């Protein structure tokens, strides 16, 4: 295993990601949990020091244990990791706003002289991403310089004998286009074969879940989304019937969704799933409400109440399973108030663990979305399920601007089903991040056959995105849009007008509310 010691960089997870892409198994541990005993137990084959926001000059500056330099394994220090390495091994770090560098820089390397750089530099100047205030001003004894940038005379340094490498830039980020090569060289020279796979991850995760849970009961709010589904499948593999899933059906799901999700998990995967059909409760409380935030708050609050009600019926539940992914985890280390771990409050069950006195099982905390999909496939979830577009916790409520009525929900479900069917038939589903229909709170006049209609209008939405933070509308062909509009109007009573939403995000959001 490779050990990444986290000094609180925002991009530490990307180091892990790059290493997993190289099929190397690694674990990230915050610096304050890594001591001599930890190293003895972990027995890393190589160590990476992440970057971090601190300065080696600040009081209580984070440091690895000195022992890490004595266990005879290769070490790669990134940015702050470089500075702390130099500081501890006898070099010098200086402050200086003049030498601070943030953003793109170009390094001139001496590639041929260092194993770490083999095959990396295509040209004599390679783009890298810098982000540092302090800088190394004198390298430690035994080190040599193998690359410089205008503001970082020690951009790449190494002690070849001890296999200690230290770079000022961030090779893990996108803006260091060829940075992956550096990691590849590092793991090869550390002796990793690169034979770690998702199936190995699965086995390791199963063992870890068993250790954590023991013979206790686990509950899980299954939403039918990819993350909670993969988490549930994995935990089920680990502890079988000790896992009970609660599928909260708020009556705001898409056509056939509840049956499909419950059917798949109960019948296909043999999980214990409680289908909590609370449609009446949710729709009752939403009656007459048209303000988006009020609607969201009602749904969020009821969700927690309902989940708790069902969970209370499960004897001895001690753990709550969540499909938290790496990007959801802000596991950065805080330097002002001492080391702490902050986790973004997640979806609908954010406050539950404390309220119910539950401990968390989060087996996907180290993974990115596409890795979760790969793990889902490994666990036997059908591809069509794993590749599903995201669906928001508040469901169709936020696709039904204004007051929610059963009539509107029914119409929306039908229109959405036709739209998605069209997208699938045209082979576009996987090209689109998210597609759905919204029903507008307006009726318009139309003519069908010889008669006048006065029905609802709907809006089609389809966006491309990487992470949902920004998005662009999908450029459907006019033929596709025309055909889809015709189908919806012909097949869905209650709709006589179809529009296409071409707003990007920002300034729009993906959902309508
Ligand atoms: P917006 O509308 O903010 O959506 O551009 C970005 C992404 O987040 C999803 N979304 C939610 N997901 N609970 C969720 O689980 C929510 O309350 C929620 N609101 C929005 C949305 O579908 C899109 O993928």
């Amino acid at each position: 295993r490779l050990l990444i010691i986290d000094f609180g960089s925002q991009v530490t997870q990307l180091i892990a990601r790059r290493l997993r892409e190289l099929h190397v198994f690694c674990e990230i541990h915050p610096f304050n949990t890594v001591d001599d005993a930890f190293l003895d137990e972990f027995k890393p084959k190589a160590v990476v020091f992440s970057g971090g926001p601190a300065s080696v000059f600040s009081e209580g500056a984070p440091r690895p244990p000195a022992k890490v330099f004595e266990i005879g394994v290769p070490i790669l220090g990134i940015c702050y990791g470089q500075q702390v390495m130099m500081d501890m091994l006898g070099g010098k770090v200086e402050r200086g706003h003049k030498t601070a560098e943030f953003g793109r820089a170009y390094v001139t390397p001496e590639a041929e002289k260092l194993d770490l750089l083999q095959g990396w530099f295509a040209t004599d100047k390679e783009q890298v991403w810098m982000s540092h205030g302090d800088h190394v001003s004198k390298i430690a004894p035994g080190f040599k310089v193998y690359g410089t940038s205008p503001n970082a005379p020690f951009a790449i340094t190494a002690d070849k004998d001890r296999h200690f490498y230290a770079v000022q830039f961030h090779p893990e980020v996108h803006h260091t286009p060829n940075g992956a090569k550096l990691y590849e060289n590092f793991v090869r020279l550390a002796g990793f074969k690169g034979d770690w796979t998702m199936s190995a991850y699965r086995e390791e995760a199963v063992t870890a879940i068993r250790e954590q849970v023991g013979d206790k009961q686990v509950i899980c709010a299954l939403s039918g989304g990819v993350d909670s589904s993969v988490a549930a499948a994995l935990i089920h593999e680990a502890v079988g019937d000790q896992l009970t899933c609660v599928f909260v059906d708020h009556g705001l799901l898409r056509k056939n969704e509840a049956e499909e999700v419950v059917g798949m998990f109960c019948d296909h995967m043999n999980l214990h799933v409680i289908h909590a059909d609370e449609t009446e409760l949710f729709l009752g409380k939403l009656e007459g409400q048209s303000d988006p935030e009020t609607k969201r708050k009602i749904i969020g609050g009821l969700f927690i109440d309902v989940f708790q009600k069902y969970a209370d019926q499960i004897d001895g539940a001690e753990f709550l399973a969540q499909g938290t992914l790496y990007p959801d985890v802000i596991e950065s280390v805080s330097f002002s108030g001492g080391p702490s771990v902050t986790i973004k409050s997640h979806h609908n069950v954010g406050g539950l663990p404390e309220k119910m006195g539950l401990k968390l099982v989060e087996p996907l905390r180290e993974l990115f979305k596409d890795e979760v999909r790969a793990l889902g496939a490994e666990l036997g979830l059908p591809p069509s399920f794993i590749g599903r577009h995201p669906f928001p916790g508040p469901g169709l409520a936020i696709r039904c601007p204004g007051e929610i009525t059963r009539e509107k929900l029914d119409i929306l479900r039908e229109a959405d089903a036709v739209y998605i069917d069209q997208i699938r038939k045209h082979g576009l589903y996987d090209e689109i991040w998210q597609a759905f229909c919204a029903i507008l709170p307006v009726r318009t006049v139309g003519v069908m056959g010889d008669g006048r209609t006065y029905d609802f209008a709907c809006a089609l939405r389809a966006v491309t995105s990487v992470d949902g933070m920004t998005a662009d509308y999908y450029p459907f062909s006019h033929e596709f849009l025309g055909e889809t509009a015709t189908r919806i109007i012909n097949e869905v009573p209650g709709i006589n007008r179809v529009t296409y939403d071409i707003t990007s995000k920002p300034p729009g959001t993906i959902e309508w509310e």
Side-chain angles (χ1 to χ4, degrees):
R1 281 183 297 176
L2 186 147
L3 170 65
I4 300 171
I5 302 183
D6 185 15
F7 294 108
S9 163
Q10 294 296 319
V11 291
T12 303
Q13 65 267 38
L14 287 177
I15 302 176
R17 161 98 205 203
R18 295 285 94 83
L19 293 169
R20 282 201 296 268
E21 283 167 354
L22 294 163
H23 303 291
V24 168
F25 184 52
C26 62
E27 281 184 26
I28 299 180
H29 290 271
F31 74 90
N32 54 329
T33 62
V34 178
D35 55 16
D36 291 3
F38 178 94
L39 290 175
D40 288 342
E41 155 113 36
F42 193 97
K43 294 189 182 59
K45 205 160 150 180
V47 179
V48 175
F49 295 170
S50 85
S55 164
V56 292
F57 302 109
S58 58
E59 220 191 290
R63 284 169 189 281
K67 183 175 175 144
V68 76
F69 299 110
E70 290 153 21
I71 53 178
V73 301
I75 302 178
L76 174 63
I78 310 291
C79 195
Y80 177 80
Q82 178 193 43
Q83 293 163 14
V84 81
M85 194 191 283
M86 290 304 150
D87 195 53
M88 289 176 75
L89 294 176
K92 224 172 155 186
V93 178
E94 270 180 28
R95 287 202 150 132
H97 61 270
K98 268 201 194 139
T99 47
E101 264 183 308
F102 295 94
R104 198 170 282 119
Y106 292 88
V107 168
T108 308
E110 295 194 44
E112 68 287 356
K113 292 194 186 143
L114 190 64
D115 42 7
L116 188 74
L117 306 177
Q118 295 311 307
W120 179 23
F121 289 91
T123 61
D124 60 350
K125 275 203 187 352
E126 190 64 33
Q127 183 187 317
V128 299
W129 193 254
M130 296 276 190
S131 178
H132 63 99
D134 299 345
H135 65 282
V136 173
S137 60
K138 182 170 153 274
I139 48 174
F143 279 78
K144 280 200 179 127
V145 178
Y146 295 94
T148 56
S149 80
N151 280 330
F154 303 114
I156 303 171
T157 59
D159 176 338
K160 284 213 278 198
D161 292 341
R162 289 190 285 177
H163 288 304
F164 292 167
Y165 306 89
V167 298
Q168 182 62 81
F169 55 90
H170 287 273
E172 62 277 11
V173 304
H174 195 65
H175 296 91
T176 302
N178 295 318
K181 189 74 195 163
L182 192 144
Y183 283 108
E184 188 183 332
N185 289 338
F186 180 68
V187 298
R188 294 288 171 267
L189 65 87
F192 286 95
K193 286 200 206 77
D195 50 7
W196 180 84
T197 59
M198 221 10 117
S199 83
Y201 185 90
R202 172 188 183 175
E203 277 169 35
E204 281 144 15
V206 163
T207 308
I209 294 165
R210 284 191 189 134
E211 263 171 32
Q212 188 190 1
V213 169
D215 57 3
K216 302 293 188 289
Q217 297 290 317
V218 188
I219 51 173
C220 172
L222 187 67
S223 69
V226 177
D227 307 344
S228 70
S229 298
V230 173
L234 185 64
I235 294 168
H236 181 251
E237 176 160 291
V239 297
D241 286 346
Q242 286 163 252
L243 172 71
T244 305
C245 298
V246 181
F247 180 72
V248 177
D249 184 347
H250 45 28
L252 299 159
L253 298 166
R254 288 166 290 191
K255 191 176 176 184
N256 299 332
E257 184 159 22
E259 295 72 24
E260 278 169 19
V261 171
V262 175
M264 189 186 79
F265 280 94
C266 283
D267 307 337
H268 182 68
M269 308 210 46
N270 234 350
L271 265 77
H272 183 215
V273 182
I274 300 172
H275 181 177
D277 185 354
E278 296 284 353
T279 304
E280 296 305 319
L281 174 70
F282 278 87
L283 296 191
K285 290 268 198 266
L286 285 167
E287 214 172 290
Q289 303 292 345
S290 55
D291 174 65
E293 275 312 296
T294 310
K295 282 156 72 175
R296 277 177 172 272
K297 289 208 178 97
I298 291 173
I299 295 166
L302 283 178
F303 189 98
I304 290 188
D305 293 347
V306 166
F307 182 72
Q308 191 161 5
K309 181 177 93 182
Y310 285 85
D312 283 346
Q313 296 163 13
I314 299 158
D315 270 346
E318 280 196 20
F319 290 93
L320 176 72
Q322 281 192 345
T324 316
L325 307 193
Y326 218 150
D328 303 327
V329 179
I330 307 164
E331 203 180 28
S332 56
V333 192
S334 145
F335 298 102
S336 46
S340 71
V341 174
T342 321
I343 298 168
K344 185 173 128 189
S345 52
H346 196 237
H347 300 323
N348 299 306
V349 283
L352 264 179
E354 300 83 45
K355 206 171 159 195
M356 296 176 67
L358 295 169
K359 287 171 256 176
L360 284 175
V361 191
E362 297 179 301
L364 311 180
R365 274 176 73 91
E366 287 159 26
L367 302 182
F368 288 80
K369 192 87 176 179
D370 56 334
E371 293 177 314
V372 169
R373 293 203 163 108
L375 180 59
E378 179 69 38
L379 287 161
L381 292 172
S384 59
F385 192 83
I386 292 164
R388 293 206 313 172
H389 292 169
F391 185 66
L396 299 183
I398 58 176
R399 297 175 179 177
C400 190
E403 197 180 329
I404 298 166
T405 64
R406 281 163 211 263
E407 182 201 10
K408 281 202 247 174
L409 287 176
D410 287 341
I411 295 172
L412 174 56
R413 279 191 194 97
E414 294 302 323
D416 190 73
V418 173
Y419 179 40
I420 299 299
D421 182 59
Q422 275 286 104
I423 290 176
R424 285 206 188 272
K425 278 198 174 125
H426 282 77
L428 302 173
Y429 191 84
D430 294 338
E431 277 182 37
I432 294 168
W433 158 267
Q434 198 171 7
F436 57 87
C437 212
I439 183 162
L440 307 187
V442 60
R443 287 178 196 260
T444 70
V445 173
V447 53
M448 270 180 103
D450 291 327
R452 174 186 191 266
T453 58
Y454 186 56
D455 285 332
F456 286 108
C458 76
L460 311 179
R461 184 89 167 121
V463 295
T464 53
S465 177
V466 177
D467 50 14
M469 303 297 287
T470 59
D472 215 342
Y473 76 87
Y474 186 79
F476 285 126
S477 68
H478 284 269
E479 290 72 23
F480 174 88
L481 288 171
E483 192 185 301
T484 306
T486 306
R487 267 196 69 188
I488 290 176
I489 291 168
N490 285 345
E491 295 174 35
V492 184
I495 292 211
N496 68 351
R497 194 175 293 269
V498 176
T499 66
Y500 186 46
D501 177 359
I502 54 165
T503 320
S504 61
K505 173 185 180 177
T509 54
I510 296 176
E511 302 289 348
W512 273 52
E513 285 191 340

